[in-house]
């Protein structure tokens, strides 16, 4: 069984409960490739997270963005037609000026959609970890409440 076939089985099993599945793996391990192949095979929507940051969202005052993001980004995701939405470039949402609690945002959106996100970091001690190469940013999100699937 190929990695993409294995991945599709994990996503299909999670569809009833909705929620968020994080695809983890080292840089260059094929996370995005698996998402794109599954999107093509299953006709799921593959979405670059940069598309979730609209001019309308940027017009919201910074201190209000975290509260408004679930509704605004939920509307954007609702415009897609598949039962699974594959998110890539998740690190876009970590930009400090957006003022987002990414874990809370994804958990809320995961109540309405089956979301699969390529995690741009690693898992350690029960935490999803993302470290920018220049050391300016370190994100830690508890993996509780999320499904994790690792690309080998």
């Amino acid at each position: 069984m190929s990695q993409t076939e294995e991945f599709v089985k994990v996503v299909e099993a999670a569809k009833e409960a909705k929620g968020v599945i994080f695809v983890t793996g080292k840089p260059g391990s094929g996370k995005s490739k698996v998402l794109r192949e599954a999107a093509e095979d299953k006709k799921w929507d593959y979405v670059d997270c940069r598309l979730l940051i609209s001019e309308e969202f940027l017009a919201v005052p910074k201190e209000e963005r975290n509260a408004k993001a679930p509704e605004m980004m939920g509307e954007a995701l609702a415009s897609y037609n598949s039962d699974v939405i594959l998110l890539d470039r998740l690190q876009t949402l970590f930009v400090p000026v957006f003022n987002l609690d990414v874990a809370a945002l994804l958990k809320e959106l995961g109540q309405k959609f089956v979301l699969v996100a390529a995690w741009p970091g690693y898992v350690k001690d029960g935490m999803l970890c993302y470290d920018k190469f220049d050391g300016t940013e370190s994100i830690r999100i508890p993996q509780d409440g999320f499904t994790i699937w690792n690309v080998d």
Side-chain angles (χ1 to χ4, degrees):
M1 178 182 310
S2 75
Q3 273 196 317
T4 301
E5 290 169 331
E6 181 183 327
F7 168 71
V8 166
K9 283 188 175 199
V10 169
V11 175
E12 291 287 353
K15 280 170 54 173
E16 290 298 315
K18 294 211 179 345
V20 180
I21 300 167
F22 283 112
V23 177
T24 62
K26 295 178 181 176
S29 63
K31 296 179 298 289
S32 296
K33 180 181 179 215
V34 167
L35 265 61
R36 285 191 302 272
E37 287 176 358
E40 186 174 319
D41 292 348
K42 300 297 289 180
K43 306 300 182 227
W44 293 335
D45 284 307
Y46 177 87
V47 178
D48 185 316
C49 284
R50 294 177 294 187
L51 297 175
L52 300 177
I53 305 298
S54 65
E55 287 184 35
E56 181 184 3
F57 178 76
L58 293 173
V60 172
K62 180 180 178 182
E63 61 276 1
E64 296 175 24
R65 288 180 182 158
N66 195 49
K68 300 223 181 221
E71 178 185 347
M72 295 177 84
M73 292 183 187
E75 288 174 5
L77 294 174
S79 70
Y80 293 97
N81 291 322
S82 67
D83 54 352
V84 174
I85 300 172
L86 308 170
L87 299 174
D88 207 356
R89 297 187 192 266
L90 189 67
Q91 61 269 33
T92 301
L93 303 180
F94 300 154
V95 174
V97 73
F98 296 152
N99 196 38
L100 295 173
D101 178 339
V102 175
L105 172 63
L106 291 175
K107 281 184 179 178
E108 189 166 340
L109 292 172
Q111 293 175 13
K112 298 176 185 173
F113 307 97
V114 177
L115 298 176
V116 178
W119 181 259
Y122 55 96
V123 178
K124 182 178 180 184
D125 300 328
M127 303 292 280
L128 289 151
C129 306
Y130 169 70
D131 303 314
K132 281 186 81 169
F133 295 112
D134 63 5
T136 61
E137 193 173 21
S138 180
I139 307 288
R140 300 289 182 267
I141 296 176
Q143 73 179 53
D144 296 340
F146 297 114
T147 300
I148 309 295
W149 185 78
N150 191 58
V151 173
D152 295 326

Coordinates of all heavy atoms in Angstrom, one line a residue, residues 22 90-91 93-95 100-107 119-144 146 148:
F22 N -3.3 16.2 11.5 CA -2.1 16.8 11.1 C -1.2 15.8 10.5 O -1.0 14.7 11.0 CB -1.3 17.4 12.4 CG -1.9 18.7 12.9 CD1 -2.6 18.7 14.1 CD2 -1.8 19.8 12.1 CE1 -3.1 19.9 14.6 CE2 -2.3 21.0 12.6 CZ -2.9 21.1 13.8
L90 N 0.6 25.9 6.5 CA 0.0 26.2 7.7 C 0.8 27.3 8.5 O 0.2 28.1 9.2 CB -0.2 25.0 8.6 CG -1.0 25.1 9.9 CD1 -2.5 25.4 9.5 CD2 -0.9 23.9 10.7
Q91 N 2.1 27.3 8.3 CA 2.9 28.3 9.0 C 2.5 29.8 8.6 O 2.8 30.7 9.4 CB 4.4 28.1 8.7 CG 4.8 28.2 7.3 CD 4.8 26.9 6.5 OE1 3.9 26.0 6.8 NE2 5.7 26.7 5.5
L93 N -0.3 30.9 9.1 CA -1.2 31.4 10.1 C -0.5 31.7 11.4 O -1.1 32.3 12.3 CB -2.3 30.3 10.4 CG -3.2 29.9 9.2 CD1 -4.1 28.8 9.6 CD2 -3.9 31.1 8.6
F94 N 0.8 31.4 11.5 CA 1.6 31.6 12.7 C 2.2 33.1 12.7 O 2.7 33.5 13.7 CB 2.8 30.7 12.8 CG 2.4 29.2 12.9 CD1 3.3 28.3 12.4 CD2 1.2 28.8 13.4 CE1 3.0 26.9 12.5 CE2 0.9 27.5 13.5 CZ 1.8 26.5 13.0
V95 N 2.0 33.8 11.6 CA 2.6 35.1 11.6 C 2.1 36.0 12.7 O 0.8 36.1 12.8 CB 2.3 35.8 10.2 CG1 2.8 37.2 10.2 CG2 3.0 35.0 9.1
L100 N -3.3 35.1 15.9 CA -4.2 33.9 15.9 C -3.7 32.9 16.9 O -2.5 32.6 17.0 CB -4.3 33.3 14.5 CG -4.9 34.1 13.4 CD1 -4.7 33.4 12.0 CD2 -6.3 34.4 13.7
D101 N -4.7 32.3 17.6 CA -4.4 31.1 18.3 C -4.7 29.9 17.4 O -5.9 29.5 17.2 CB -5.3 31.0 19.6 CG -5.1 29.8 20.4 OD1 -4.7 28.7 19.9 OD2 -5.5 29.8 21.6
V102 N -3.7 29.4 16.7 CA -3.9 28.5 15.6 C -4.6 27.2 16.1 O -5.5 26.7 15.4 CB -2.6 28.2 14.8 CG1 -2.8 27.1 13.8 CG2 -2.1 29.5 14.2
A103 N -4.2 26.7 17.2 CA -4.8 25.5 17.8 C -6.3 25.7 18.0 O -7.1 24.8 17.6 CB -4.1 25.0 19.0
A104 N -6.7 26.7 18.7 CA -8.1 27.0 18.9 C -8.9 27.2 17.6 O -10.0 26.7 17.5 CB -8.2 28.2 19.8
L105 N -8.3 27.9 16.7 CA -8.9 28.2 15.4 C -9.2 26.9 14.7 O -10.3 26.6 14.2 CB -8.0 29.1 14.5 CG -8.4 29.3 13.1 CD1 -9.8 30.0 13.0 CD2 -7.3 30.1 12.3
L106 N -8.2 26.0 14.6 CA -8.4 24.8 13.9 C -9.4 23.8 14.6 O -10.2 23.2 13.9 CB -7.0 24.1 13.7 CG -6.1 24.8 12.7 CD1 -4.7 24.0 12.7 CD2 -6.7 24.9 11.3
K107 N -9.3 23.8 15.9 CA -10.3 23.0 16.6 C -11.7 23.5 16.4 O -12.6 22.7 16.2 CB -10.0 23.0 18.1 CG -8.9 22.1 18.5 CD -8.7 22.0 20.0 CE -7.5 21.0 20.3 NZ -7.2 21.0 21.7
W119 N 1.7 19.7 8.9 CA 2.4 20.4 10.0 C 3.8 20.7 9.6 O 4.5 19.7 9.3 CB 2.3 19.6 11.3 CG 2.9 20.3 12.4 CD1 4.1 20.0 12.9 CD2 2.4 21.4 13.2 NE1 4.4 20.9 14.0 CE2 3.3 21.8 14.1 CE3 1.2 22.1 13.1 CZ2 3.1 22.8 15.0 CZ3 1.0 23.1 14.0 CH2 1.9 23.5 14.9
P120 N 4.3 21.9 9.7 CA 5.6 22.2 9.2 C 6.7 22.0 10.2 O 7.7 22.7 10.2 CB 5.5 23.7 8.9 CG 4.5 24.2 9.9 CD 3.5 23.1 10.0
G121 N 6.5 21.1 11.1 CA 7.5 20.8 12.2 C 7.5 19.4 12.6 O 7.4 18.5 11.7
Y122 N 7.5 19.1 13.9 CA 7.6 17.7 14.4 C 6.8 17.6 15.6 O 6.2 18.5 16.2 CB 9.1 17.5 14.7 CG 9.7 18.5 15.6 CD1 9.8 18.2 17.0 CD2 10.2 19.7 15.1 CE1 10.4 19.2 17.9 CE2 10.8 20.6 16.0 CZ 10.9 20.4 17.4 OH 11.4 21.3 18.2
V123 N 6.7 16.3 16.1 CA 6.0 16.0 17.3 C 7.0 15.5 18.4 O 7.9 14.7 18.1 CB 4.9 14.9 17.1 CG1 4.2 14.5 18.4 CG2 3.9 15.3 16.0
K124 N 6.9 16.1 19.6 CA 7.8 15.7 20.6 C 7.1 15.9 22.0 O 6.5 16.9 22.2 CB 9.1 16.6 20.6 CG 10.1 16.2 21.7 CD 11.4 17.0 21.6 CE 12.3 16.6 22.6 NZ 13.5 17.5 22.6
D125 N 7.2 14.8 22.8 CA 6.6 14.9 24.1 C 5.1 15.3 24.1 O 4.7 16.2 24.9 CB 7.4 15.8 25.1 CG 8.8 15.3 25.2 OD1 9.0 14.0 25.2 OD2 9.7 16.1 25.4
G126 N 4.3 14.8 23.2 CA 2.9 15.2 23.1 C 2.6 16.6 22.6 O 1.5 17.0 22.7
M127 N 3.6 17.2 22.0 CA 3.4 18.6 21.4 C 3.7 18.6 20.0 O 4.7 18.0 19.5 CB 4.3 19.6 22.2 CG 4.1 19.6 23.7 SD 2.6 20.3 24.2 CE 2.9 22.0 24.0
L128 N 2.9 19.3 19.2 CA 3.3 19.7 17.8 C 4.2 20.9 17.9 O 3.8 21.9 18.6 CB 2.0 20.0 17.0 CG 1.1 18.8 16.7 CD1 -0.3 19.3 16.6 CD2 1.6 18.2 15.5
C129 N 5.4 20.8 17.4 CA 6.4 21.8 17.5 C 6.8 22.4 16.1 O 6.9 21.6 15.2 CB 7.7 21.2 18.1 SG 7.4 20.4 19.7
Y130 N 6.9 23.7 16.1 CA 7.4 24.4 14.9 C 8.4 25.4 15.3 O 8.2 26.2 16.2 CB 6.2 25.1 14.2 CG 6.6 26.0 13.1 CD1 7.1 25.5 11.9 CD2 6.5 27.4 13.2 CE1 7.5 26.4 10.9 CE2 6.9 28.3 12.2 CZ 7.4 27.8 11.1 OH 7.8 28.6 10.1
D131 N 9.6 25.3 14.7 CA 10.7 26.2 15.0 C 11.1 26.9 13.7 O 11.5 26.1 12.8 CB 11.9 25.5 15.7 CG 11.5 24.8 17.0 OD1 10.8 25.4 17.8 OD2 11.9 23.6 17.1
K132 N 11.1 28.2 13.7 CA 11.6 28.8 12.5 C 13.2 28.7 12.5 O 13.8 28.6 13.5 CB 11.3 30.3 12.4 CG 9.9 30.5 12.0 CD 9.6 32.0 11.8 CE 10.1 32.5 10.5 NZ 9.6 33.9 10.2
F133 N 13.7 28.6 11.3 CA 15.1 28.3 11.2 C 16.0 29.5 11.8 O 17.1 29.2 12.3 CB 15.5 28.1 9.7 CG 14.9 26.9 9.1 CD1 14.0 27.0 8.2 CD2 15.3 25.6 9.6 CE1 13.4 25.8 7.6 CE2 14.8 24.5 9.0 CZ 13.8 24.6 8.1
D134 N 15.5 30.7 11.8 CA 16.2 31.8 12.3 C 16.1 32.0 13.8 O 16.6 32.9 14.4 CB 15.9 33.1 11.6 CG 14.4 33.5 11.8 OD1 13.7 32.9 12.6 OD2 14.0 34.5 11.2
G135 N 15.3 31.1 14.5 CA 15.1 31.1 15.9 C 14.2 32.2 16.4 O 14.1 32.4 17.6
T136 N 13.5 32.9 15.5 CA 12.6 34.0 16.0 C 11.3 33.5 16.4 O 10.5 34.3 17.0 CB 12.4 35.0 14.8 OG1 11.8 34.3 13.7 CG2 13.7 35.6 14.4
E137 N 10.9 32.3 16.2 CA 9.6 31.8 16.5 C 9.6 30.4 16.9 O 10.3 29.5 16.3 CB 8.7 32.0 15.2 CG 7.3 31.9 15.4 CD 6.5 32.2 14.1 OE1 7.1 32.2 13.0 OE2 5.4 32.5 14.2
S138 N 8.9 30.1 17.9 CA 8.8 28.7 18.4 C 7.3 28.5 18.8 O 6.8 29.2 19.7 CB 9.7 28.5 19.6 OG 9.6 27.2 20.1
I139 N 6.6 27.6 18.1 CA 5.2 27.3 18.3 C 5.1 25.9 19.0 O 5.8 25.0 18.5 CB 4.4 27.3 17.0 CG1 4.6 28.6 16.2 CG2 2.9 27.0 17.3 CD1 4.0 29.8 16.8
R140 N 4.3 25.8 20.0 CA 4.1 24.5 20.7 C 2.6 24.4 20.9 O 2.0 25.3 21.5 CB 4.8 24.4 22.0 CG 6.3 24.5 22.0 CD 6.9 23.3 21.3 NE 8.4 23.4 21.3 CZ 9.1 23.8 20.3 NH1 8.5 24.3 19.2 NH2 10.4 23.8 20.3
I141 N 2.0 23.3 20.3 CA 0.6 23.1 20.4 C 0.4 21.7 21.0 O 0.9 20.7 20.4 CB -0.1 23.2 19.1 CG1 0.0 24.6 18.5 CG2 -1.6 22.7 19.1 CD1 -0.6 24.8 17.1
P142 N -0.4 21.5 22.1 CA -0.6 20.1 22.5 C -1.4 19.3 21.5 O -2.3 19.8 20.8 CB -1.5 20.3 23.8 CG -1.3 21.8 24.2 CD -1.0 22.5 22.9
Q143 N -0.9 18.1 21.3 CA -1.5 17.3 20.2 C -2.9 16.7 20.6 O -3.6 16.1 19.8 CB -0.6 16.2 19.8 CG -0.4 15.0 20.7 CD 0.5 13.9 20.1 OE1 1.6 14.2 19.7 NE2 0.1 12.7 20.1
D144 N -3.3 16.9 21.9 CA -4.6 16.4 22.4 C -5.7 17.0 21.6 O -5.8 18.2 21.3 CB -4.8 16.8 23.9 CG -3.8 16.1 24.8 OD1 -3.2 15.1 24.4 OD2 -3.6 16.7 25.9
F146 N -6.3 16.2 18.5 CA -6.0 16.2 17.0 C -5.5 14.8 16.7 O -5.0 14.0 17.5 CB -4.8 17.1 16.7 CG -5.1 18.6 17.0 CD1 -4.4 19.3 17.9 CD2 -6.1 19.3 16.2 CE1 -4.7 20.6 18.2 CE2 -6.3 20.6 16.4 CZ -5.7 21.3 17.4
I148 N -2.9 12.6 14.5 CA -1.6 12.8 13.9 C -1.3 11.6 13.0 O -1.5 10.4 13.3 CB -0.5 12.8 15.0 CG1 -0.8 13.8 16.1 CG2 0.9 13.1 14.4 CD1 -0.9 15.3 15.7

